[in-house]
Structures are given as structure tokens and as C-alpha cells.
Amino acid sequence: MNRVGELYACLYAKEFPAQAVLRLRPELKEQPVVVIEGEPPLESVCSFNAKARYLGVVRGMTRVELDTFSSLIVLPRSRPEEVSTRAVMLECAAAFSPRVEDRSEGSAFLCVIDIAGTEKLLGPPEVLARELLRRVQVLGVSGSVAISENFYTALSYVRGSSSPIAFIAPGNEGSALAPLPLKVLDVSGQHAETFALWGIRTLGALAALPEKELISRIGQEGRRLRQLARGELQHHFVPYEAKVELEERMELDTPVEELERLLFVVNVMLEQLIFRVTTRVLALASVTITLSLEGNAVHTRTVRPALPTNDRPLWLKLLQLDLEAHPPTAAIVAVTLTAEPGSTSKVQLGLFSPQLPEPMRLDVTLARIRALVGDECVGSPVLRDTNQPDGFRLEPFKVPSARSSSSATVSSLAAMRQLRPPERVSITLRDRQPSFFIFRDCRYEVEHAYGPWLAEGDWWNRQTWALEQWDLIGRSSDCGMLCCCLVRDLKEQSWHVVTLYD
């Protein structure tokens, strides 16, 4: 008897090697495709799609036999893409229940979800199954779902049934499994041969055998197989602990050198990442693209906008601008996208705060500026813990919060223009104070001089500094006034204008 309160949904995707390869190649799904594995010239078919099955392709065909088919696309098996797709499928299943057991085997993906107690949150089992299949189809995989109160009943039925969605009512496990072939139980070769000699080909025929006589002939394994056929065998659920890793990988059929062809592939991968992160009510905070190049080289770039977003055209444009500014050095053979999730919360500003620019325009503008001046010259300035002039560093630009935006006030009434690099001047001192100076071929008489302010530091480094600063108000012969800041380098005994005051 089944234990009270149990309910399982089994998700099954057959021909998984072919589906994993075609998931990020939607343009090939309407064409006959086969996947081969092995060392050339001994490759053989390990998986294929429905279009290829209609042409007569069977598992185990050699490359020579495939050459007899016209309009057949042959792709190599990709183990990394299968691992990535399997992780995506388990992540999708975990969105419906935290208890998911992975039962994948051979060329099929198989997982069982414990959905007991989810009716109030996700609706009846049939509604849950339809939503599960819809999300799986968005991921680019086709599958089927069977729901039962018995773990192994759902597992066996989904393997042998052609129905995309099946719900096995409590008490009907045996009758639902009866017409299915014996192969859905993974019977060993020796026992399969024994059952064939007895004329046992379906689960109904196996379930009808007397238990004691079956045990006396093939042992306790016979009792276990009979319980499986009757839908009575219990199972100790072993949940799969999945790690949330937003990663998509695709191995290219041929090396790619043009950026436009690469962006076509990246666009499909971004679509999958955005769908996966949206189901968790999150957004993409950063995307890292890793390009595997010919010669075992790797080219890695990271793009991080000012705000987390799920705007796919924005991400595609940012990646395009970054790769144009930092192109790879060789042809690309594989692409990996890794994303970091972030909060989708909106930034709420104060009533009198200045309006922020549109995030998409802002990020694209910053990316274009980085392409012109370099990554190290774009960002928000932050003062360092030093008195040295120009003692600041650049951090990635971030949109200010409502609190920091509303509290920002203007602390100075004068505008200050920093000269970079500082301009050298010729100066005359009188009583150790500036009397007049020549700046940009114009002579200025000093009317007011404020200073000096002495500053020195970094005595522990080789490049120590010692400066003397003066704020001057000078007037030229044509009555033009100049307010500036002069700095005297005490080590080199040189004078420079570093700042002009407006």
C-alpha cells in the first residue's frame, strides 16, 4: 500500500544527447538531425530527433550508412552541453518542489519531483504538469510527465507511454502499467531471456505470476520486479541538492571569427539565461562571456550594467561593444555564458531628486566611452585615504540610492577646473611670496596671495612627494583677472598651475 500523503511527478526527456545539442540551435529543430559519438572513422549514432526517425535512422548506424541519407545533419555528441542542459532541467524542476531526485540514465533525462502538498500553491496535479511542460519547452526541450502516488509507477509509466501528460489515480497503478512492455523496468539480460521463454512480455503478465513460485525460480529479484509491475514497491526518496549556477555553454560546429555570427549564438543563450533568472524573480546583474579559442586559449570578458536588468537587447549590445573593444585573438570554438543574479527592485528617488537617465541608454553610453578611453578611465571617483593631490580611484558606476540622492547638497559656490596635466609657469617671489607670474604667455600681477599650505607624504616609498600650495588672484595688463591655484614642488623646485577657479 502507498503511504498517505505521497504524490510524485516524473519528468522524462528521451533522446537527451540530441535535445541537448539542439537546445541552443533552434534553427535546426525542423530538420533531421543525428548525434554521433566515437573515434573516426568508427562513429555511430547515439541519438536523433523525430525528423531523423521518420527517415529510418536507428541507433548504432555508422557514418557510412548515414551518408546514404540526403538532407541529414550530423553533429558530434557534446558531453559539456549535456551536463549544462541536465543542470538546467533540474533547476527547472526545483522551481516546483525542493525535493527532486535525479534518475537520468543512458540517453534519457529522468527526474522525479515530490509534489505532495503543493496543490494550494500550484494547483491540481494536471495544472502543475502542464506548467512544468511549458517551462521545459521554453528551455528548448520536449518531454512528458506522469503523476502517481507511487514513485516507481510514475517512473515506469512515463518511460513506456506516449502521452505527454498522464495522471494515474490512486488504486489504478496495476491496470495503468499492465499494457506497458517489460523493458521499462530495466530487467537484466538473464531475467529478460527467462521471461521471454515464459512468454512474459508485458507488466500485466508479470504482475499476474504467483509470488511464491516466482521467488523460488529467480529469487528475491523476482519479487521486486513483480511489485514494480503491480505498482506496489515503495521507495526511499533521495533528494538532489542542486547548485544554482546560471551558466550556458555551446560548442560551435565550426570555428567562428566574425562577431555577427557569434552574437547570433549569444542571443539564444541570453534568452535562456533571462528565462531561468526570471522564474526566480531576479534579474541579471552581470554576464561573463568565456570564449574558447583555437590553440586552447581562453578569452574572458565581464559586463556589468549600472542596474540589474533582464533586457536582452541591452545585454546583447553591451557584449557587442565590449567584444569590439576587446576582440579575441583567434577563432572561437566554444562559448560559455555565466551570469550573476541580482535584485529586480526599482530605485525610488526623492520628490526633488534629479531624474536619472534611462538605464539602457546610460549603460550603452558608458560602454561606448570605455571603448574610446579604456576601462580604467570610466567610473565614479572615490577619494583615497591620502593628502596627495589627485588621490582618488575609480569604481564601477552605480545608481545612487534614494537616501544618498536626496541628501546630496551643493557644498561650494565656486567652480573649480582641474588642469591635467598641470601647466608649468614662471614666477617671481618677493619676500618669499609670489609677486607676479607668467601663464600662457600673459603676465599677471598678484593682488592677493593665500598660503602657503605644505603637504608631504609617502615617506616609506621611493616616490615621496612634498608640495607647497598657493591660492592666487592675479590681474593682467588688460585688467583681466585670474584666480588659480599654484603648486610648488619642493623637491624639483618647479611651479605649476593645477586649478583654475571660475
Side-chain angles (χ1 to χ4, degrees):
M1 298 294 293
N2 293 333
R3 287 171 286 186
V4 178
E6 290 186 352
L7 190 62
Y8 301 98
C10 185
L11 175 61
Y12 177 63
K14 57 184 178 181
E15 301 297 344
F16 192 66
Q19 295 209 57
V21 171
L22 294 176
R23 188 173 74 91
L24 298 177
R25 297 174 175 85
E27 71 280 1
L28 300 180
K29 289 189 176 181
E30 299 301 325
Q31 303 183 34
V33 178
V34 298
V35 177
I36 60 175
E37 64 177 346
E39 295 294 332
L42 302 177
E43 307 104 314
S44 60
V45 175
C46 65
S47 184
F48 44 83
N49 64 355
K51 300 285 185 180
R53 183 185 297 109
Y54 295 152
L55 294 179
V57 177
V58 295
R59 188 173 283 103
M61 277 188 171
T62 63
R63 187 61 182 266
V64 177
E65 293 174 320
L66 294 177
D67 292 338
T68 60
F69 294 90
S70 59
S71 67
L72 188 66
I73 298 177
V74 181
L75 298 176
R77 185 173 187 177
S78 176
R79 298 285 184 176
E81 291 188 33
E82 291 180 31
V83 173
S84 176
T85 305
R86 173 177 168 272
V88 170
M89 296 284 286
L90 291 174
E91 177 186 322
C92 177
F96 292 84
S97 172
R99 289 170 53 85
V100 179
E101 183 171 341
D102 184 20
R103 304 283 293 192
S104 299
E105 53 188 16
S107 61
F109 170 83
L110 200 60
C111 73
V112 182
I113 312 170
D114 184 0
I115 60 173
T118 62
E119 292 84 358
K120 293 183 179 180
L121 182 63
L122 303 175
E126 295 84 351
V127 176
L128 183 146
R130 286 195 295 268
E131 178 63 18
L132 176 60
L133 280 187
R134 186 192 68 80
R135 294 195 185 184
V136 168
Q137 290 172 359
V138 174
L139 294 174
V141 179
S142 61
S144 56
V145 178
I147 299 177
S148 174
E149 289 188 354
N150 183 269
F151 181 94
Y152 290 106
T153 299
L155 201 67
S156 301
Y157 190 87
V158 79
R159 288 174 178 172
S161 174
S162 58
S163 176
I165 297 177
F167 176 73
I168 303 172
N172 295 337
E173 290 84 359
S175 59
L177 295 176
L180 300 182
L182 205 61
K183 63 180 181 180
V184 300
L185 298 183
D186 293 332
V187 182
S188 64
Q190 180 181 359
H191 291 157
E193 184 179 357
T194 302
F195 288 140
L197 294 175
W198 293 352
I200 305 297
R201 294 179 175 82
T202 63
L203 299 188
L206 176 59
L209 295 177
E211 181 178 358
K212 293 183 179 180
E213 287 76 0
L214 184 61
I215 296 176
S216 64
R217 286 166 174 79
I218 62 176
Q220 290 297 322
E221 179 65 14
R223 179 175 181 270
R224 189 186 74 87
L225 292 175
R226 183 176 180 273
Q227 288 181 337
L228 286 174
R230 296 170 62 91
E232 298 175 352
L233 184 65
Q234 297 302 316
H235 173 72
H236 179 68
F237 200 88
V238 182
Y240 169 81
E241 297 182 3
K243 298 180 180 179
V244 180
E245 295 181 353
L246 295 174
E247 180 177 314
E248 295 286 349
R249 177 179 173 84
M250 181 176 180
E251 296 183 355
L252 305 178
D253 304 333
T254 57
V256 172
E257 297 181 356
E258 298 82 3
L259 182 58
E260 290 74 12
R261 293 180 57 191
L262 175 65
L263 292 177
F264 179 79
V265 175
V266 172
N267 184 36
V268 180
M269 301 173 74
L270 280 174
E271 183 179 5
Q272 294 294 331
L273 285 176
I274 291 173
F275 172 77
R276 291 168 57 187
V277 77
T278 303
T279 58
R280 298 179 177 272
V281 198
L282 295 173
L284 298 181
S286 69
V287 172
T288 300
I289 181 170
T290 303
L291 305 177
S292 302
L293 310 179
E294 288 184 333
N296 295 327
V298 177
H299 183 73
T300 303
R301 298 296 304 170
T302 300
V303 175
R304 184 184 298 272
L307 287 174
T309 178
N310 287 331
D311 191 341
R312 179 159 51 96
L314 170 61
W315 282 110
L316 194 64
K317 188 65 177 179
L318 293 179
L319 289 172
Q320 177 186 356
L321 293 174
D322 188 83
L323 292 176
E324 287 178 350
H326 308 85
T329 57
I332 305 166
V333 297
V335 184
T336 302
L337 284 188
T338 306
E340 177 183 347
S343 175
T344 58
S345 59
K346 303 295 183 181
V347 177
Q348 182 177 358
L349 301 179
L351 182 61
F352 302 102
S353 300
Q355 185 178 2
L356 294 176
E358 185 180 350
M360 180 174 181
R361 293 184 179 180
L362 173 63
D363 294 321
V364 172
T365 301
L366 291 176
R368 294 186 186 276
I369 295 175
R370 291 191 193 97
L372 294 175
V373 301
D375 296 339
E376 67 281 357
C377 297
V378 180
S380 301
V382 178
L383 292 177
R384 294 185 298 174
D385 188 14
T386 178
N387 292 323
Q388 184 178 7
D390 289 346
F392 68 93
R393 67 180 187 275
L394 288 179
E395 292 185 349
F397 176 78
K398 296 180 180 179
V399 176
S401 61
R403 180 177 300 178
S404 61
S405 299
S406 60
S407 61
T409 59
V410 179
S411 59
S412 138
L413 298 178
M416 185 174 63
R417 290 184 292 169
Q418 197 84 7
L419 299 182
R420 293 189 177 91
E423 299 186 24
R424 194 180 186 95
V425 297
S426 176
I427 190 169
T428 300
L429 301 178
R430 184 178 298 167
D431 296 333
R432 297 184 179 180
Q433 288 193 355
S435 176
F436 65 88
F437 59 93
I438 300 175
F439 175 62
R440 295 179 179 176
D441 298 331
C442 185
R443 187 176 185 274
Y444 292 90
E445 293 285 345
V446 177
E447 292 185 352
H448 299 281
Y450 306 94
W453 293 278
L454 301 177
E456 60 181 352
D458 292 355
W459 52 266
W460 54 88
N461 294 328
R462 293 183 179 180
Q463 296 180 349
T464 60
W465 52 274
L467 304 176
E468 180 182 288
Q469 178 180 332
W470 292 82
D471 286 339
L472 304 180
I473 300 177
R475 192 174 298 274
S476 63
S477 57
D478 57 356
C479 296
M481 189 175 66
L482 177 68
C483 300
C484 61
C485 175
L486 269 66
V487 170
R488 179 186 181 186
D489 192 331
L490 298 179
K491 294 182 62 179
E492 299 181 0
Q493 292 300 320
S494 60
W495 290 80
H496 295 85
V497 177
V498 295
T499 304
L500 297 179
Y501 299 109
D502 293 341

